[in-house]
């Protein structure tokens, strides 16, 4: 890391330049409270996420959940939810699909991401791989449907949902790997090569540990995007029902589903909160 | 989708190959999910359709007639439904469709629906079903019987009686003018985002009050729809509407929180709101000008008509003409349907509380009263494309 | 800002190094599969925009109807409106997330706290967005918590109507929903910045502000770009907040496409989507041209090799 050009550039920041900046800027830039400001901005945004979620959890134990008034309290919605059971299979499918998409994303994003960073002109490949991001979800779904079903005449089902989810999630996964890979110094591999490491050793012992945050991020995003995906799935579902499709369909049932959905959301919240906390804690501890 | 039969063999081979290549991992993993298998010898029907036709608990039916149903739910999105039936060949695996009556106008002539076999021995209640239901245009097309009516209602709007000076017992015939152009309700009206409903209700109001002359309020060619939308845009700019809503939950919330005074919602929304606000706090209107009259029909895909379990399918459909289904649908949603007398009888036989029985009887009188007014909805208007295009002007105004 | 912010140094690369750890099959293989899964279907859909749909059936005759009606019905306006709101929100999220990402990566030293915060940012993805959003209506409505609170305190006499069913409400509701996707990449790139750099910068007498501008920002650009893409893209497709909080007065792209597809109007949906992609491509082009001197986008994600 010695002799980094950025540090050399930094050394060129001379006092003359600083004087031109004016006093106000100097005082502002020297102020050490920026960390706290950053923290506060983030906590504000997190509050914006959790105010409705907290209220939702509260409403899930109240008589009329849409009113905004929690009393009288009741657990009956949880009873209804547990005796219903129709949502179990969709939930199961969504979880499995999410896991499969996550692992495929990790694998493909790592392979392709590494390859892209070693290209001379990666611009073209990059743009092609990011195209699905810029097409409205329903249109992408319609495109896949017309192509797979109308033109190729395939029977749609879980496999086509998987394809649609990959089209949606892979660009995100790829970007995450690229962000990390772009900070990777190829000379490390050169050094390893000089020390007699073979291809696999170079990847597994040097490259992978550095890329790991990106690869993990790719997996997490892959799972989350798949778990939530609705717009494309509607088109290519065949006769499968995932969790988002289930919620979407139930919206037309002309019976209030909110009590049940709120209860389900609260259960998911209570399960994922500790599980994900431990997962990230282990991840960071290992990395740190 | 032409030439379906000539190269079936080829198609199959290619399909298998591609499917194998693309979906190997996913399919293999998911094949182990329980529930997909387990096809026992019991009588089983696979249904696909809008969730409005669902009972909260199908076990009731299994107990009564021994038929189990696998219900794949879908939204009331007509595009998705038509695509699934036409392009997705969903009839290959499904025995019954449930959707808004009117789809047979398109899917019947295309050969997606089988005609109903009115003589099937399992369809015992068909003959006693009144013609008003079974011969409705919403289940027939071109003189052919494609659908069996399941539930129906006349849609209009819900209101708070004190806000428009109406009789709190809810028996007044209220004019749609309070919805569109009353100063008392200005900025306090919520209108449905679905043009199928809102646009034709507006057209019906304009037609009935003589403000515009419209031949078919449920199916308007572009220029006619344009004039109706002009009127709506003018009302929108005048600040008549508080919000344009989409989902059922929104309807319940808007009423329950008194965010608005009038809303052209579905009837169950007023029911849900009254659970919170007290009985008759909100009223689902009787109107002067008419209702958006709809029904849900059950149809049989052509593929299913040839399958072995077709008699079970008719047994299932017959159940929906019977008392138990009728009674529970009316109780849970306030919707009527054919043979309400059987529903009332069922409730009495099963010692339902007196209020519940009266509610069923009232549901019948209510729907009879509504059905005397104009107009029937069209789920698949010939001019759908132009109407949708015009509606965009209202949304973007 | 006299010192160039990024301008990666001209990279010297030998043939041998370029090959390190490279599988020659990966890129061509990926491109073939991707073309089948993405490019081809999209081309087909674009071709569909030149057909017509009559009574729920596609008429395979060339026609410009879909394109003409896009403009006569004012439908194209939703593309512009959507882009405007998406860009505004992306800017707001960047403003919130950049300092936070920096703090989370460098300022927050407690690993459990860090893990907990990241968890908090992950959880919303598991929860149904409609039910999260519908709750806001009980808070912002004319009889909601804020209005009744303010009226109770005597600050206002009549409820503030524009709190709900307005563009304000849509923006407000989106703040929480689109924050995590902006934070993740920024947090990740900040974590990767070596503490030694920051230490060295301080040792050389740079103030925190100078370190920020001259060290952190240039190094963070790939993460920031990823964050912008991660946030802008879902925002372009947003439909829950506009529907539930905009009260139908904020008609956005997702809704318009949905409405067209309900009548199986593939051509209209295709034409509208093409317009969106064209607008986005145009914006990207302008951005690249404007920053060409300072920043080489094409090589942003190329592995460092000096």
């Amino acid at each position: 890391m010695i002799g980094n050009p950025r540090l050399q550039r930094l050394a060129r920041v001379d006092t003359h330049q600083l004087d031109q900046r004016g006093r106000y800027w100097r005082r502002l830039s020297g102020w050490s409270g920026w960390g706290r400001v950053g923290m506060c901005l983030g906590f504000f945004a997190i509050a914006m996420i959790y105010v409705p979620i907290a209220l939702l959890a509260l409403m899930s134990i109240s008589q009329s959940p849409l009113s905004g008034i929690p009393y009288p309290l009741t657990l009956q919605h949880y009873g209804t939810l547990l005796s219903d059971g129709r949502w179990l299979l969709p939930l199961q499918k969504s979880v499995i699909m999410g896991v499969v998409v996550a692992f495929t994303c990790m694998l493909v994003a790592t392979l392709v991401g590494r390859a892209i960073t070693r290209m001379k002109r990666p611009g073209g490949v990059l743009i092609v791989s990011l195209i699905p991001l810029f097409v409205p979800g329903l249109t992408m779904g319609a495109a896949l449907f017309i192509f797979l079903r109308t033109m190729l005449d395939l029977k749609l089902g879980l496999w086509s949902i998987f394809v649609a989810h990959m089209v949606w999630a892979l660009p995100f996964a790829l970007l995450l790997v690229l962000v990390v890979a772009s900070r990777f110094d190829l000379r490390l591999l050169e050094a390893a090569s000089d020390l007699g490491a073979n291809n696999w050793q170079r990847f597994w012992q040097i490259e992978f540990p550095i890329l790991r945050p990106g690869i993990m991020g790719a997996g997490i995003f892959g799972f989350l995007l798949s778990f939530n995906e609705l717009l494309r799935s509607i088109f290519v579902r065949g006769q499968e029902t995932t969790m988002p499709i289930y919620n979407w369909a139930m919206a037309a049932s002309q019976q209030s589903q909110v009590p049940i959905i709120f209860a389900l959301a609260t259960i998911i919240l209570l399960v994922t909160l500790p599980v994900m906390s431990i997962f990230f804690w282990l991840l960071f501890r290992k990395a740190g | 989708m032409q030439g379906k039969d000539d190269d079936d063999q080829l198609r199959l081979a290619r399909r298998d190959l591609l499917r194998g290549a693309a979906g190997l991992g996913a399919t293999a993993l998911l094949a182990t999910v329980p529930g997909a298998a387990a096809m026992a010898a019991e009588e089983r029907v696979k249904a696909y359709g809008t969730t409005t036709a669902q009972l909260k608990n199908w076990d009731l039916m299994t107990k009564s007639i021994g038929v189990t149903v696998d219900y794949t739910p879908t939204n009331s999105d007509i595009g998705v439904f038509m695509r699934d039936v036409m392009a997705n060949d969903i009839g290959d695996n499904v025995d019954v469709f449930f959707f808004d009556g009117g789809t047979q106008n398109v899917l019947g002539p295309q050969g997606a629906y089988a005609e109903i076999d009115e003589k099937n021995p399992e369809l015992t209640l068909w003959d006693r079903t009144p013609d008003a239901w079974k011969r409705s245009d919403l289940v027939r097309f071109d003189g052919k019987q494609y659908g069996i009516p399941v539930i129906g209602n006349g849609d209009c709007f819900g209101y708070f009686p004190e806000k428009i000076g109406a009789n709190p017992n809810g028996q007044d015939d209220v004019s749609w003018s309070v919805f569109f152009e009353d100063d008392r309700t200005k900025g306090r009206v919520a209108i449905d985002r679905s043009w199928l409903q809102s646009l034709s209700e507006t057209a019906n109001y304009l037609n009935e009050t003589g403000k515009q002359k419209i031949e078919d309020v449920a199916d308007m060619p572009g220029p006619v729809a344009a004039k109706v939308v002009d009127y709506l845009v003018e009302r929108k700019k005048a600040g008549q509407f508080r919000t344009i809503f989409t989902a059922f939950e929104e309807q319940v919330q808007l009423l329950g929180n008194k965010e608005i005074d009038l809303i052209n919602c579905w009837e169950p929304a007023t029911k849900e709101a009254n659970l919170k606000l007290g009985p008759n706090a909100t009223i689902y209107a009787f109107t002067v000008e008419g209702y958006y009259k709809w029904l849900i029909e059950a149809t049989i895909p052509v593929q299913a008509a040839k399958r072995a379990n077709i008699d079970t399918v008719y047994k299932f459909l017959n159940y929906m003409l019977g008392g138990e289904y009728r009674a529970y649908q009316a109780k849970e949603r306030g919707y009527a349907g054919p043979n309400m007398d059987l529903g009332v009888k069922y409730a009495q036989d099963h010692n339902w509380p007196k209020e519940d029985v009266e509610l069923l009887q009232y549901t019948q009188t209510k729907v009879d009263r509504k059905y005397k007014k104009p107009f029937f909805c069209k789920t698949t208007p010939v001019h759908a494309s132009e109407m949708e295009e015009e509606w965009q002007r209202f949304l973007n105004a | 800002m006299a010192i160039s912010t990024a301008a990666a140094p001209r990279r010297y690369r030998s043939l041998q190094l370029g090959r390190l750890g490279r599988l020659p099959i990966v890129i061509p293989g990926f491109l073939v599969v991707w073309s089948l899964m993405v490019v081809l279907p999209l081309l087909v859909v674009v071709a569909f925009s030149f057909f017509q749909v009559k009574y729920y059936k596609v008429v395979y005759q060339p026609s410009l109807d879909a394109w003409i009606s896009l403009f006569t019905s004012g439908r194209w306006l939703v593309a512009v409106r959507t882009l405007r709101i998406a860009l505004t929100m992306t800017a707001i999220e960047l403003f919130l997330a950049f300092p936070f990402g920096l703090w989370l990566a460098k300022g927050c030293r407690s690993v459990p706290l860090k893990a907990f915060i990241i968890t908090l940012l992950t959880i919303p993805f598991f929860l149904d967005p409609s039910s999260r959003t519908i709750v806001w209506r009980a808070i912002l409505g004319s009889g909601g918590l804020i209005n009744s609170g303010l009226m109770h305190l005597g600050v206002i006499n009549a409820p503030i109507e524009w709190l709900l069913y307005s563009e304000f409400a849509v923006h407000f509701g989106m703040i929480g929903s689109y924050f995590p996707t902006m934070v993740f990449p920024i947090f990740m790139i900040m974590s990767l910045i070596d503490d030694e750099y920051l230490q060295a910068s301080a040792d050389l007498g740079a103030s925190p502000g100078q370190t920020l501008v001259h060290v952190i920002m240039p190094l963070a650009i790939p993460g920031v770009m990823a964050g912008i893409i991660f946030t802008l893209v879902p925002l372009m497709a947003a439909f829950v907040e506009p529907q539930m909080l905009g009260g139908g007065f904020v008609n956005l792209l997702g809704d318009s496409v949905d409405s067209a597809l309900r009548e199986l109007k593939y051509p209209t949906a295709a034409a509208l989507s093409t317009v969106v992609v064209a607008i986005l491509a145009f914006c990207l082009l302008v951005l690249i041209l404007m920053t060409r001197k300072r920043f080489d986008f094409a090589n942003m994600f190329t592995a460092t090799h000096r």
Side-chain angles (χ1 to χ4, degrees):
Chain A
M1 303 281 157
I2 300 157
N4 185 305
R6 288 196 174 89
L7 286 186
Q8 288 162 9
R9 247 190 295 140
L10 188 73
R12 288 201 302 268
V13 180
D14 54 30
T15 42
H16 172 68
Q17 248 177 355
L18 290 181
D19 282 345
Q20 286 179 333
R21 292 264 156 92
R23 231 188 231 154
Y24 186 66
W25 162 245
R26 218 180 320 164
R27 202 178 302 156
L28 212 61
S29 73
W31 183 47
S32 60
W34 282 109
R36 196 163 302 136
V37 169
M39 189 179 81
C40 291
L41 288 176
F43 284 161
F44 162 71
I46 291 179
M48 291 294 286
I49 304 173
Y50 279 88
V51 164
I53 291 180
L55 208 59
L56 178 153
L58 183 62
M59 287 303 143
S60 76
I61 51 167
S62 53
Q63 194 77 52
S64 51
L66 279 174
S67 61
I69 301 150
Y71 290 102
L73 297 180
T74 169
L75 278 177
Q76 76 179 55
H77 306 311
Y78 287 87
T80 321
L81 178 71
L82 294 179
S83 67
D84 187 332
R86 280 177 297 186
W87 51 273
L88 263 173
L89 193 63
L91 180 66
Q92 197 178 354
K93 282 183 185 168
S94 276
V95 170
I96 296 176
M97 181 64 79
V99 171
V100 175
V101 169
F103 278 103
T104 321
C105 274
M106 288 161 82
L107 184 70
V108 178
T110 310
L111 281 173
V112 177
R114 288 173 71 239
I116 284 182
T117 52
R118 287 157 175 77
M119 286 176 73
K120 276 215 178 76
R121 302 297 307 172
V125 179
L126 196 60
I127 285 186
V128 169
S129 59
L130 298 187
I131 285 178
L133 292 179
F134 301 102
V135 181
L138 284 167
T139 310
M140 193 70 231
L144 283 170
F145 177 80
I146 291 174
F147 185 67
L148 296 174
R149 179 66 210 165
T150 315
M151 298 189 66
L152 298 183
D153 205 14
L154 303 170
K155 198 109 188 132
L156 303 182
L158 288 170
W159 72 271
S160 51
I161 296 182
F162 171 76
V163 168
H165 286 189
M166 282 306 293
V167 168
W168 174 225
L170 188 62
F172 287 93
L174 194 59
L175 271 177
L176 284 174
V177 171
L178 283 174
V179 166
V180 179
S182 69
R183 310 246 23 87
F184 180 69
D185 196 332
L186 283 178
R187 282 172 308 174
L188 286 173
L189 294 184
E190 190 184 10
S193 194
D194 291 346
L195 292 170
N198 66 24
N199 268 335
W200 175 249
Q201 284 171 325
R202 280 204 305 262
F203 172 72
W204 188 248
Q205 292 175 6
I206 298 175
E207 210 172 342
F208 179 74
I210 295 177
L211 292 185
R212 192 166 53 203
I215 298 174
M216 284 303 180
I220 292 164
F221 256 83
F223 180 85
L224 295 175
L225 290 173
S226 160
F227 189 81
N228 249 337
E229 214 297 316
L230 173 67
L231 303 178
R232 295 155 193 82
S233 308
I234 292 176
F235 278 88
V236 295
R237 69 186 284 212
Q239 285 168 59
E240 299 295 340
T241 306
T242 61
M243 200 61 211
I245 293 180
Y246 179 78
N247 283 338
W248 166 80
M250 290 313 276
S253 67
Q254 313 212 355
Q255 284 170 339
S256 189
Q257 298 297 318
V258 157
I260 295 184
I261 290 176
F262 278 19
L264 184 58
T266 311
I267 291 177
I268 292 178
L269 178 72
L270 292 178
V271 172
T272 46
L273 198 63
V275 171
M276 294 302 282
S277 292
I278 292 170
F279 172 75
F280 281 116
W281 180 62
L282 290 175
L283 195 70
F284 288 149
R285 211 181 46 159
K286 225 171 168 185
Chain B
M1 315 262 9
Q2 297 108 338
K4 246 189 155 54
D5 301 329
D6 35 66
D7 55 358
D8 237 12
Q9 214 47 46
L10 183 77
R11 246 169 27 119
L12 271 175
R14 185 179 53 185
R15 174 190 298 173
D16 290 349
L17 177 78
L18 275 157
R19 180 200 223 164
L24 199 64
T27 325
L29 249 161
L30 285 153
T32 56
V33 174
M39 273 280 280
E42 71 210 283
E43 292 188 286
R44 190 172 272 271
V45 173
K46 283 191 176 171
Y48 166 86
T50 169
T51 40
T52 321
Q54 267 191 309
L55 281 184
K56 267 188 182 160
N57 188 358
W58 283 110
D59 292 348
L60 278 170
M61 178 181 77
T62 313
K63 236 177 267 164
S64 307
I65 61 169
V67 176
T68 319
V69 63
D70 281 337
Y71 203 108
T72 306
T74 183
N75 196 291
S76 55
D77 182 327
I78 173 121
V80 175
F81 179 75
M82 299 265 264
R83 193 183 61 230
D84 277 350
V85 176
M86 287 199 289
N88 232 347
D89 294 341
I90 203 162
D92 285 349
N93 301 306
V94 168
D95 305 317
V96 188
F97 297 137
F98 290 99
F99 208 77
D100 295 69
T103 52
Q104 76 280 359
N105 295 9
V106 177
L107 297 172
Q110 279 195 16
Y113 292 165
E115 281 182 61
I116 298 294
D117 173 13
E118 299 176 38
K119 295 277 170 280
N120 188 294
E122 294 286 352
L123 205 57
T124 53
L125 294 170
W126 185 249
D127 287 337
R128 79 178 306 286
T129 303
D131 284 355
W133 285 98
K134 72 179 176 194
R135 300 301 181 208
S136 159
D137 278 350
L138 289 172
V139 288
R140 291 169 67 83
F141 183 72
D142 211 11
K144 291 179 182 142
Q145 186 79 36
Y146 286 109
I148 286 182
V150 176
I151 48 172
N153 198 13
D155 279 2
C156 50
F157 54 85
Y159 64 90
F160 290 90
E162 71 276 10
K163 294 289 173 62
I164 56 167
N167 189 334
N169 72 7
Q171 295 302 312
D172 282 1
D173 271 348
V174 181
S175 168
W176 276 89
S177 66
V178 291
F179 188 86
F180 289 113
E181 45 194 41
D182 200 311
D183 272 344
R184 288 173 298 179
T185 60
K186 195 171 201 173
R188 302 283 300 163
V189 175
I191 186 167
D192 195 327
R193 195 187 183 89
S194 150
W195 56 267
L196 212 57
Q197 182 151 355
S198 290
L199 194 56
S200 43
E201 281 170 352
T202 314
N204 183 61
Y205 165 69
L206 294 174
N207 189 44
E208 290 295 314
T209 50
K211 289 181 203 289
Q212 286 182 19
K213 189 89 202 79
I214 297 161
E215 200 169 313
D216 185 349
V217 295
D219 194 352
M220 296 177 281
V224 181
K227 280 177 72 184
V228 178
V229 169
D230 285 344
Y231 171 78
L232 277 171
V233 169
E234 187 261 307
R235 293 319 302 157
K236 184 179 178 183
K237 293 219 162 112
Q240 181 71 9
F241 305 116
R242 170 86 168 120
T243 174
I244 305 170
F245 65 88
T246 331
F248 179 69
E249 314 293 359
E250 290 184 66
Q251 307 174 5
V252 178
Q253 198 187 30
L254 285 166
L255 284 168
N257 294 356
K258 300 192 173 176
E259 191 73 35
I260 41 86
D261 295 340
L262 286 133
I263 174 171
N264 61 338
C265 59
W266 300 332
E267 185 156 2
T270 54
K271 259 173 104 80
E272 294 270 356
N274 286 346
L275 287 181
K276 176 193 169 195
L277 300 173
N280 280 337
T282 64
I283 285 164
Y284 204 67
F286 289 109
T287 71
V288 178
E289 289 87 2
Y291 306 86
Y292 177 89
K293 291 183 283 189
W294 57 269
L295 61 80
I296 303 262
E297 64 175 340
T299 49
I300 300 176
V302 275
Q303 299 96 317
K306 297 175 205 137
R307 275 198 284 265
N309 68 340
I310 186 68
D311 285 341
T312 313
V313 171
Y314 276 102
K315 198 173 176 183
F316 174 58
L317 294 179
N318 196 57
Y319 174 78
M320 307 200 130
L321 295 172
E324 185 171 87
Y325 182 78
R326 183 86 309 110
Y328 276 98
Q329 276 288 4
K331 185 182 167 190
E332 285 167 10
R333 294 190 171 88
Y335 287 155
N339 303 330
M340 184 58 89
D341 51 328
L342 292 180
V344 173
K345 189 162 177 304
Y346 174 88
Q348 283 162 344
D349 289 351
H350 287 76
N351 298 321
W352 281 23
K354 195 159 155 277
E355 316 87 79
D356 282 357
V357 177
E358 277 165 7
L359 183 82
L360 296 190
Q361 284 161 334
Y362 175 68
T363 308
Q364 183 60 47
T365 29
K366 177 186 77 187
V367 173
D368 285 345
R369 178 170 164 188
K370 285 182 177 180
Y371 270 47
K372 291 198 181 88
K373 296 268 183 178
F375 64 101
F376 276 100
C377 82
K378 287 224 170 76
T379 307
T380 53
V382 176
H383 301 290
S385 186
E386 295 143 81
M387 288 164 82
E388 194 269 346
E389 210 67 53
E390 289 298 333
W391 183 249
Q392 293 304 310
R393 282 200 301 121
F394 172 66
L395 293 179
N396 282 320
Chain C
M1 314 220 170
I3 297 178
S4 139
T5 39
R10 286 243 160 258
R11 291 189 178 95
Y12 144 83
R13 72 180 53 228
S14 73
L15 217 59
Q16 185 218 346
L17 271 173
R19 285 208 184 116
L20 271 175
R22 177 169 159 191
L23 297 170
I25 186 87
V26 167
I27 291 289
F30 169 71
L31 284 180
V32 167
V33 175
W34 206 240
S35 305
L36 275 175
M37 278 164 69
V38 177
V39 183
L40 215 53
L42 284 176
L43 288 178
V44 169
V45 136
V46 171
F48 259 70
S49 73
F50 296 101
F51 295 134
Q52 265 179 297
V53 164
K54 288 225 169 93
Y55 205 34
Y56 305 99
K57 283 192 98 170
V58 181
V59 181
Y60 292 98
Q61 264 169 9
S63 150
L64 284 175
D65 273 20
W67 288 92
I68 293 167
S69 72
L70 209 58
F71 294 95
T72 52
S73 67
R75 205 172 202 129
W76 67 280
L77 282 172
V78 298
V80 180
R81 186 182 301 134
T82 307
L83 196 67
R84 172 168 57 80
I85 292 181
L87 287 174
T88 317
M89 280 315 298
T90 308
I92 293 175
E93 301 295 7
L94 183 60
F95 168 76
L96 293 172
F98 187 87
F100 183 62
L102 180 58
W103 172 78
L104 192 58
K106 293 294 166 203
C108 175
R109 295 286 167 193
S110 149
V111 170
L113 179 62
K114 210 183 267 191
F116 185 64
I117 289 176
I118 293 289
T119 307
L120 286 182
L121 293 174
T122 319
I123 299 287
F125 288 98
F126 288 97
L127 306 175
D128 177 44
S130 320
S131 42
R132 273 189 287 136
T133 311
I134 204 166
V135 176
W136 275 123
R137 293 161 43 123
I139 300 173
L140 298 173
S142 48
L145 288 180
I146 293 184
N147 269 321
S148 52
L150 287 179
M151 274 161 70
H152 190 72
L153 292 174
V155 181
I156 48 171
N157 294 323
I160 309 172
E161 297 275 330
W162 52 261
L163 272 185
L164 188 56
Y165 306 131
S166 59
E167 276 203 17
F168 165 81
V170 174
H171 284 100
F172 187 78
M174 281 173 165
I175 292 179
S177 313
Y178 296 88
F179 183 65
T181 50
M182 183 66 95
V183 175
F184 284 130
I186 293 182
F187 163 70
M188 213 165 79
I189 196 88
M190 296 290 190
S191 309
L192 293 173
I193 296 177
D194 223 310
D195 283 348
E196 290 168 48
Y197 284 20
L198 308 182
Q199 192 54 52
S201 170
D203 292 348
L204 288 166
S207 70
Q210 287 164 344
T211 309
L212 179 70
V213 173
H214 300 298
V215 181
I216 296 175
M217 279 188 177
L219 289 172
I221 280 184
V224 171
M225 290 307 291
I228 289 176
I229 294 176
F230 275 34
T231 313
L232 186 65
V233 166
L235 272 166
M236 290 294 294
F239 68 101
V240 173
E241 292 88 357
Q243 261 183 11
M244 296 208 155
L245 303 177
F249 296 118
V250 188
N251 193 28
L252 295 192
L253 182 69
D255 277 326
S256 201
V257 174
D258 177 54
S259 173
L261 288 173
R262 268 175 190 249
E263 301 313 310
L264 299 184
K265 287 159 81 172
Y266 293 111
T268 306
L272 187 56
S273 310
T274 313
V275 168
V276 175
V277 174
I279 292 178
L280 282 173
F282 178 74
C283 292
L284 191 68
L285 196 72
V286 169
L287 185 72
I288 290 177
L289 287 180
M290 267 169 49
T291 55
R292 191 170 43 175
K293 293 216 177 85
R294 288 163 162 271
F295 188 70
D296 182 4
F297 274 95
N299 287 322
M300 177 170 69
F301 292 122
T302 307
T304 359
H305 171 238
R306 298 169 272 265

